[in-house]
């Protein structure tokens, strides 16, 4: 049996940490679609493309082949064959990804790769449009959110741990701007799918959110099994 779990939500809600843990518990593959958009953004930045030039973003992305492979269960993003994981988690790349991911030709390039992964194996896939567009028939859909301050605090601590200088107010402002862009773009905006379960992680620990998602998955699949028998 192949199962698909879709987790969507705004930046900093804890999607990747939680999706990775849920995948580990169930021995599924974790697919981080944000990393694919970030790899594309990294390519555009490296090519010196102006973030306001939508036409040029659409043209330039045609020269970037994104693929992924797994090493010890970790997703490695390959950009024209080069492992670019080390460059993807900066604010600069995240902000560019939020802009370039609104360009239809960028999304088209990544859509088939994401669908193919979920067709071939059981996945926990996180992103912005997984439940609404990429995997509309996913077995479980979660919309994971939190208010902007706890999200900014988490991001601040993450950056501090990496030794990067950062400012909490600026991070919160960036997060709010990114939410606006992700939720208001024309193509595949971030929104909760009608059949997604809303989980607000503002006052929950990572373990509590993981347990909640596992519980939702198990009750859903148990029901399916008992219907079949
Ligand atoms: O989740 P993240 O911060 O790594 O994502 C980076 C950007 O990529 C985010 O601002 C929106 C975009 N994105 C998207 O449009 N669709 C997805 N499925 C995943 C990410």
């Amino acid at each position: 049996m192949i199962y698909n779990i879709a987790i969507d939500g705004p930046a900093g809600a804890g999607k990747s940490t939680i999706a990775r843990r849920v995948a580990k518990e169930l021995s599924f593959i974790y697919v981080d679609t944000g990393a694919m958009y970030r790899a594309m953004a990294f390519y555009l930045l490296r090519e010196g493309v102006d973030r306001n030039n939508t036409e040029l973003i659409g043209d330039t992305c045609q020269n970037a082949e994104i693929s992924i492979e797994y090493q010890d269960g970790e997703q490695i993003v390959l950009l024209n064959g080069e492992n670019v994981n080390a460059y993807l988690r900066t604010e600069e790349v995240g902000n560019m990804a939020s802009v370039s991911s609104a360009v239809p030709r960028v999304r088209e390039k990544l859509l088939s790769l994401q669908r193919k992964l979920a067709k071939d194996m059981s996945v926990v896939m996180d992103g912005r449009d997984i439940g609404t567009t990429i995997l509309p028939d996913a077995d479980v859909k979660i919309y994971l959110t939190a208010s902007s301050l706890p999200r900014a605090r988490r991001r601040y601590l993450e950056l501090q741990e990496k030794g990067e200088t950062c400012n909490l107010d600026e991070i919160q402002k960036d997060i709010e701007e990114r939410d606006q862009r992700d939720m208001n773009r024309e193509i595949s905006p971030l929104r909760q799918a009608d059949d997604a379960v809303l989980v607000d992680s503002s006052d929950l620990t990572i373990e509590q959110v993981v347990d909640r998602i596992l519980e939702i998955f198990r009750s859903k699949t148990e029901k399916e099994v008992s219907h079949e028998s």
Side-chain angles (χ1 to χ4, degrees):
M1 244 340 239
I2 286 183
Y3 291 109
N4 290 170
I5 299 181
I7 304 184
D8 289 302
K15 290 190 304 294
S16 55
T17 308
I18 284 155
R20 185 177 281 113
R21 292 211 192 172
V22 171
K24 194 158 181 240
E25 285 290 325
L26 297 170
S27 302
F28 290 4
I29 294 289
Y30 165 51
V31 183
D32 174 1
T33 63
M36 299 176 190
Y37 284 98
R38 283 171 183 266
M40 193 60 96
F42 173 68
Y43 179 73
L44 296 165
L45 287 168
R46 198 155 71 173
E47 292 294 302
V49 175
D50 176 359
R51 59 188 252 166
N52 298 313
N53 192 338
T54 307
E55 199 55 37
L56 188 57
I57 290 177
D59 290 343
T60 310
C61 82
Q62 302 305 321
N63 304 325
E65 277 322 312
I66 309 280
S67 57
I68 65 168
E69 59 180 39
Y70 288 88
Q71 281 173 15
D72 301 327
E74 269 304 295
Q75 173 180 294
I76 308 289
V77 185
L78 302 173
L79 167 64
N80 294 330
E82 175 192 353
N83 174 350
V84 291
N85 270 33
Y87 310 115
L88 304 183
R89 305 298 318 170
T90 67
E91 292 304 281
E92 187 192 16
V93 170
N95 285 331
M96 181 63 162
S98 167
V99 174
S100 54
S101 62
V103 176
R105 280 189 286 170
V106 169
R107 301 203 77 81
E108 274 159 30
K109 278 209 72 128
L110 297 176
L111 180 137
S112 51
L113 168 63
Q114 293 166 5
R115 284 202 178 136
K116 183 164 185 326
L117 288 165
K119 192 162 167 271
D120 293 344
M121 48 203 180
S122 290
V123 296
V124 180
M125 187 177 285
D126 78 359
R128 302 294 188 286
D129 61 340
I130 311 305
T132 53
T133 308
I134 304 295
L135 306 176
D137 297 325
D139 301 282
V140 170
K141 297 182 189 178
I142 305 291
Y143 189 79
L144 184 64
T145 190
S147 23
S148 66
L149 185 57
R151 289 192 278 136
R153 279 207 198 101
R154 286 177 199 156
R155 187 76 191 122
Y156 177 81
L157 291 175
E158 222 177 273
L159 290 169
Q160 273 206 326
E161 263 175 37
K162 283 200 274 178
E164 290 184 31
T165 41
C166 49
N167 170 299
L168 183 62
D169 289 341
E170 262 171 39
I171 294 177
Q172 188 177 2
K173 196 168 138 271
D174 258 13
I175 279 189
E176 285 169 358
E177 278 172 16
R178 207 183 294 182
D179 286 354
Q180 283 307 311
R181 277 198 297 270
D182 293 350
M183 289 173 179
N184 294 305
R185 66 185 177 210
E186 260 173 52
I187 179 167
S188 294
L190 168 64
R191 68 169 183 83
Q192 183 181 345
D194 296 337
D195 50 353
V197 179
L198 176 72
V199 178
D200 187 327
S201 70
S202 304
D203 300 315
L204 298 177
T205 63
I206 290 167
E207 282 68 29
Q208 285 170 322
V209 179
V210 170
D211 287 347
R212 172 106 181 84
I213 296 175
L214 289 172
E215 196 183 286
I216 295 166
F217 174 75
R218 289 188 177 124
S219 76
K220 179 94 196 275
T221 48
E222 270 158 26
K223 258 186 228 148
E224 276 168 16
V225 171
S226 67
H227 272 285
E228 278 162 19
S229 53

